[in-house]
Amino acid sequence: MQALLFAMGLTGSTNAIDIPQDAVLPLAATLNWILKDGLGQLGGVIYAAVSARSFDSEPKRQRFASGGVWLPAATLLECTAPLAAPVGLFVPLAALAGAMKNVSWIATSAARAQLHRTMTATRRTALPGSHTSGGEGTADGVAQNLGDVTAKAGAQTTSAATIGTGVGVGAGAIVQWLASSFETTFALSTGQAVSAATLAVCAPLLVLSTYALFRSNACVVLDNLDEQRFRLAIGTGPANYRASNPGPRGQGLEWLVAPVPTVLGPAAVARLERFVRPGHLADRLAARVDVNPDVNQWFDDQADPADAWARCFGSGQAPCDRRYFLHLRSRPPAFGRGRVGLWLDAAAGPADVFRGYLHASLLAKALDSAGPSPTDGGAKLIAETAAVLPRWQAAFLAAGWRPPSEGAAAHLETDPTRRVHINR
């Protein structure tokens, strides 16, 4: 950077220490620029450490936040940072903008990996002329083209950046024209006029970019399960909670014991999924599933949490061969319809995690439709839902969700370090 600035003819005329006169200004600009970029990169590293687990479980939300929140905010801050130069705030504001851009870059790169995977073939289809047994089909060649998809996405990004550079050149000419107009019309200084003109030109482009990103994210169909997609698939998510629970509580469990359970597929869930604002009032009012909650906090209404734990897990209501424990807890109406506690065994595998979360989710929906929350830990309701688990598991696979062996439920457990150990 110093060599480039020096080559451009930027030189200084003062020298407080033993530095060649012609190198003073390039050196000062270089140090400020490096400081700005260094602080910006540090912000990106911190964000990556904090949000590491959500890049795979919520790639659509992370991708939209990176391009629809962090990048526009950084761009707007960069446009206004020159106005703060007279009061010595240019470097802090520029560093903050750099941090936001690094966060956007890291979130985009990490989320793209999972999004690119959805563009490869995730289902097994029979190749022309092939013969398969049992209707399983064979994996076609497209299923192995993740590298090809990534390469084409990179080519599209490069093409878009090239077009964007051309648009930026034209926008620069418009900025110059608007700046001169603002300077004479509103009696602004040159710096203020340029910043105002830059914002006027940049803001519409940012709005267009954010809208395009929203539309592209809405087209993505994910076949792995997180909490929101799981609840939407069985009819307890924010978008269809009212439709699946239209009447008062106590409407029965006909949906649970249906011969063919109703499970929405990935494409249908993608149309209902919220990635801009995942939370919703209707979802908060429904019964919820807590995975590996703290035992003392879970039984905070008991005189002795240890006794409550023994009564819950010593009654045989959740057999050890399932590698998970379940417990139902009543909640005041103002805090929702109830809670389902799911504790996973330390030795639980992907299939056990999927089965346990499915069992807990069915219990949560049953709380919304079967009446008051049980006060005995829900032993009867747990047994009723356990009896229909095989049919619901088969319905998930038939709907097109990724099999448990391929990590369908890998993102349903937020803190694996809080698993329990089952004594056998």
Side-chain angles (χ1 to χ4, degrees):
M1 177 64 68
Q2 181 180 357
L4 290 174
L5 292 175
F6 186 79
M8 292 172 60
L10 298 178
T11 59
S13 57
T14 60
N15 192 3
I17 57 178
D18 188 16
I19 298 178
Q21 290 283 347
D22 291 344
V24 173
L25 185 56
L27 179 60
T30 300
L31 292 177
N32 280 332
W33 202 266
I34 291 176
L35 178 63
K36 175 186 76 70
D37 282 355
L39 293 175
Q41 292 173 2
L42 179 62
V45 171
I46 295 175
Y47 181 81
V50 172
S51 306
R53 294 187 61 87
S54 63
F55 292 129
D56 288 314
S57 60
E58 301 176 291
K60 295 168 72 170
R61 182 179 67 84
Q62 286 285 357
R63 180 66 185 94
F64 182 80
S66 66
V69 178
W70 293 108
L71 185 58
T75 304
L76 293 175
L77 192 58
E78 281 186 337
C79 293
T80 57
L83 298 177
V87 294
L89 294 179
F90 174 79
V91 172
L93 292 179
L96 180 58
M100 291 180 177
K101 279 197 169 184
N102 272 276
V103 167
S104 173
W105 177 80
I106 289 177
T108 298
S109 301
R112 275 177 178 168
Q114 188 64 247
L115 297 178
H116 289 168
R117 184 196 174 282
T118 67
M119 299 176 190
T120 63
T122 57
R123 297 176 177 83
R124 290 183 174 268
T125 56
L127 292 173
S130 63
H131 299 279
T132 60
S133 59
E136 291 292 333
T138 58
D140 56 20
V142 183
Q144 307 298 327
N145 70 334
L146 180 60
D148 185 40
V149 170
T150 303
K152 287 180 169 57
Q156 289 183 352
T157 301
T158 303
S159 301
T162 303
I163 297 174
T165 301
V167 174
V169 172
I174 298 176
V175 167
Q176 290 183 353
W177 176 77
L178 283 178
S180 61
S181 177
F182 289 167
E183 191 172 359
T184 57
T185 304
F186 301 104
L188 300 177
S189 65
T190 302
Q192 291 174 335
V194 170
S195 294
T198 303
L199 287 173
V201 173
C202 190
L205 297 177
L206 290 177
V207 172
L208 178 62
S209 174
T210 301
Y211 175 75
L213 182 59
F214 174 83
R215 295 292 299 174
S216 65
N217 265 3
C219 296
V220 175
V221 178
L222 299 172
D223 65 346
N224 64 328
L225 293 161
D226 65 353
E227 180 184 4
Q228 181 185 190
R229 288 189 287 277
F230 209 111
R231 293 172 68 82
L232 285 170
I234 66 173
T236 60
N240 60 0
Y241 173 77
R242 297 302 185 191
S244 60
N245 298 273
R249 300 182 67 185
Q251 60 182 332
L253 298 177
E254 292 81 4
W255 58 270
L256 179 65
V257 297
V260 180
T262 300
V263 176
L264 298 182
V269 168
R271 291 191 292 268
L272 301 172
E273 185 178 6
R274 299 173 182 269
F275 55 86
V276 178
R277 186 175 61 90
H280 191 268
L281 177 61
D283 193 38
R284 292 198 297 268
L285 291 177
R288 300 297 300 272
V289 176
D290 293 337
V291 182
N292 299 332
D294 182 81
V295 177
N296 292 326
Q297 294 179 2
W298 182 261
F299 295 108
D300 59 2
D301 58 342
Q302 304 287 345
D304 188 348
D307 290 343
W309 176 271
R311 288 197 301 271
C312 172
F313 299 141
S315 61
Q317 52 190 269
C320 291
D321 58 358
R322 293 198 187 120
R323 297 187 185 276
Y324 62 84
F325 289 133
L326 292 169
H327 187 266
L328 276 60
R329 177 181 176 183
S330 301
R331 296 283 289 179
F335 296 97
R337 298 175 181 259
R339 289 291 187 271
V340 179
L342 168 64
W343 288 269
L344 295 166
D345 179 26
D352 302 311
V353 176
F354 178 83
R355 180 182 176 89
Y357 199 88
L358 174 59
H359 197 168
S361 297
L362 295 178
L363 285 172
K365 186 175 180 180
L367 289 180
D368 291 328
S369 57
S373 301
T375 57
D376 61 347
K380 181 179 178 180
L381 197 55
I382 289 175
E384 291 176 351
T385 50
V388 298
L389 277 181
R391 284 185 296 188
W392 280 88
Q393 286 181 290
F396 264 88
L397 294 179
W401 293 102
R402 191 187 308 176
S405 59
E406 298 179 12
H411 310 299
L412 296 172
E413 185 181 14
T414 56
D415 190 1
T417 62
R418 301 177 66 176
R419 289 187 174 191
V420 297
H421 291 268
I422 301 176
N423 294 324
R424 302 183 184 278

